[in-house]
Amino acid sequence: MTEALWTGYQYAETDGDGWTTYWRLDPRGQDLTLTEWTGDPDRPGQRLWERAGTPAGVCSRWSTTALAVRVELRATRGIAKRVAPLDILVDGELHRRCEVGEGEQELTIDLPPGGPRSVEIWLPQLGRVAVRGLSFDGPTEPLPATGPRWTTYGSSITQAGGAAGPSETWPALVARHHGYHLTCLGLSGECHLDPVAARTIRDTPAQLISLCLGVNIYGGATYSGRTLPSQVESFVRTVRDGHPQTPIVVITPLVVPDRETTPNAVGLTLEDVRTCVERGARVDPAVRVIDGRTILTSAEAEALYTDGVHPGPEGYRVIAERLIPLLGG
């Protein structure tokens, strides 16, 4: 069995049966009630931490002459509706997309013959997934992650559960285009400026940081017009404490045609949320703000969203195309 060199996670937790979960936020020592208490026993708990246990953006890279690779996975949907597939890339191109079901499973993927090739294994970006085995049937060497380190934080649109596969989320496409070493903190439904996320970004080495802020705050009515700008300011200041010279980009919510002018439970429209996010971000004069409405037009959103809010596979590809030049080095 070959020990995998995975990237894109904060803490690897291996249980007594050898299954390793790649946590994107480190759960050790955390008081989960700070983020999970709802006041209603009938509501599902552990939402932030279940999202953090989903390995979106987690991958490993190898140089090999092997003709097959074997991956042993354990997967559950959890609070997600499905488990996303696993992607195998050969020399930077998608070679095989493998469906992943619930439970324990072993996937064996044939590889093309020839000289040493680069093989990338991208774990599913949706569902709870643990890995126990990864092995090749021929000579193999791990390839360390290279390139500038990029951390991106956001909602389900950054986690991109509706992308065709984990290598085709918009963060993965941007990272692959620029050769970035990706840390994806897309947390579906859970982008609420949690201090643990700010500290994680502060303490993770990065040459570029992007923060996609606002759509979960609008949907959850997390903050009011009184509190949201200062919460954004506080989050950005925490991140800046660990990255005094690193470029920070704040992206406000993408257009949502049927919600732009609809007040949420605290009276904020999506347009209001963008204004509040921008005000808080611009307290740091070095932060660059991208208006999310410039990424997709209303007509494009109506054509590319699957449920009025979330893009489908083509939508994530278009978002990546628009953000590649904006998040370039």
Side-chain angles (χ1 to χ4, degrees):
M1 183 177 296
T2 305
E3 181 181 355
L5 298 180
W6 300 94
T7 64
Y9 67 94
Q10 300 297 323
Y11 175 64
E13 180 182 39
T14 303
D15 67 17
D17 295 322
W19 294 103
T20 299
T21 297
Y22 294 98
W23 291 92
R24 294 181 294 136
L25 297 175
D26 189 341
R28 293 175 296 176
Q30 298 293 332
D31 181 352
L32 301 190
T33 62
L34 291 175
T35 56
E36 304 303 341
W37 186 82
T38 64
D40 183 344
D42 294 327
R43 294 177 185 170
Q46 310 301 318
R47 295 182 63 88
L48 173 64
W49 292 100
E50 176 149 329
R51 300 306 192 195
T54 298
V58 176
C59 68
S60 64
R61 297 171 176 85
W62 306 85
S63 176
T64 185
T65 57
L67 296 178
V69 57
R70 182 185 65 85
V71 186
E72 190 177 6
L73 301 175
R74 183 183 66 194
T76 61
R77 288 181 299 173
I79 60 175
K81 294 181 179 179
R82 64 183 180 89
V83 179
L86 175 142
D87 281 356
I88 303 289
L89 276 62
V90 175
D91 293 334
E93 300 294 330
L94 182 64
H95 171 67
R96 186 71 55 81
R97 176 159 289 145
C98 304
E99 293 300 318
V100 176
E102 289 198 281
E104 298 180 8
Q105 55 217 280
E106 183 177 298
L107 305 175
T108 300
I109 301 98
D110 293 334
L111 300 173
R117 299 167 308 285
S118 168
V119 173
E120 299 175 33
I121 303 168
W122 289 74
L123 295 179
Q125 82 275 22
L126 195 65
R128 287 292 302 273
V129 178
V131 180
R132 184 162 66 183
L134 172 62
S135 61
F136 294 82
D137 69 352
T140 303
E141 294 290 337
L143 294 175
T146 59
R149 296 190 62 152
W150 169 40
T151 298
T152 189
Y153 169 65
S155 66
S156 56
I157 296 174
T158 300
Q159 185 174 333
S167 67
E168 294 187 43
T169 67
W170 77 257
L173 290 170
V174 171
R176 289 168 54 201
H177 178 89
H178 289 301
Y180 290 157
H181 175 183
L182 172 65
T183 297
C184 178
L185 295 180
L187 301 163
S188 180
E190 297 299 325
C191 181
H192 295 284
L193 304 175
D194 289 292
V196 65
R199 294 192 300 270
T200 297
I201 300 168
R202 178 195 65 192
D203 298 339
T204 300
Q207 284 72 56
L208 174 65
I209 295 166
S210 59
L211 312 172
C212 303
L213 307 178
V215 70
N216 287 162
I217 291 166
Y218 168 79
T222 318
Y223 304 106
S224 67
R226 160 65 180 82
T227 57
L228 178 53
S230 60
Q231 289 295 321
V232 173
E233 176 196 2
S234 177
F235 193 96
V236 171
R237 286 191 185 277
T238 298
V239 171
R240 181 62 80 196
D241 285 344
H243 300 278
Q245 303 299 326
T246 300
I248 298 175
V249 180
V250 169
I251 305 171
T252 66
L254 275 63
V255 65
V256 183
D258 63 353
R259 304 186 188 188
E260 288 295 317
T261 59
T262 303
N264 66 4
V266 293
L268 294 181
T269 67
L270 200 55
E271 293 175 345
D272 294 332
V273 168
R274 288 192 191 92
T275 299
C276 291
V277 168
E278 182 168 359
R279 286 182 175 179
R282 290 199 184 280
V283 171
D284 182 335
V287 167
R288 181 159 59 95
V289 177
I290 297 174
D291 186 332
R293 292 170 295 188
T294 66
I295 298 171
L296 294 177
T297 67
S298 292
E300 287 173 327
E302 289 175 350
L304 295 171
Y305 291 177
T306 59
D307 58 1
V309 179
H310 298 94
E314 181 59 24
Y316 284 112
R317 285 189 284 269
V318 173
I319 292 169
E321 289 171 4
R322 303 285 166 79
L323 286 174
I324 281 171
L326 298 176
L327 297 176

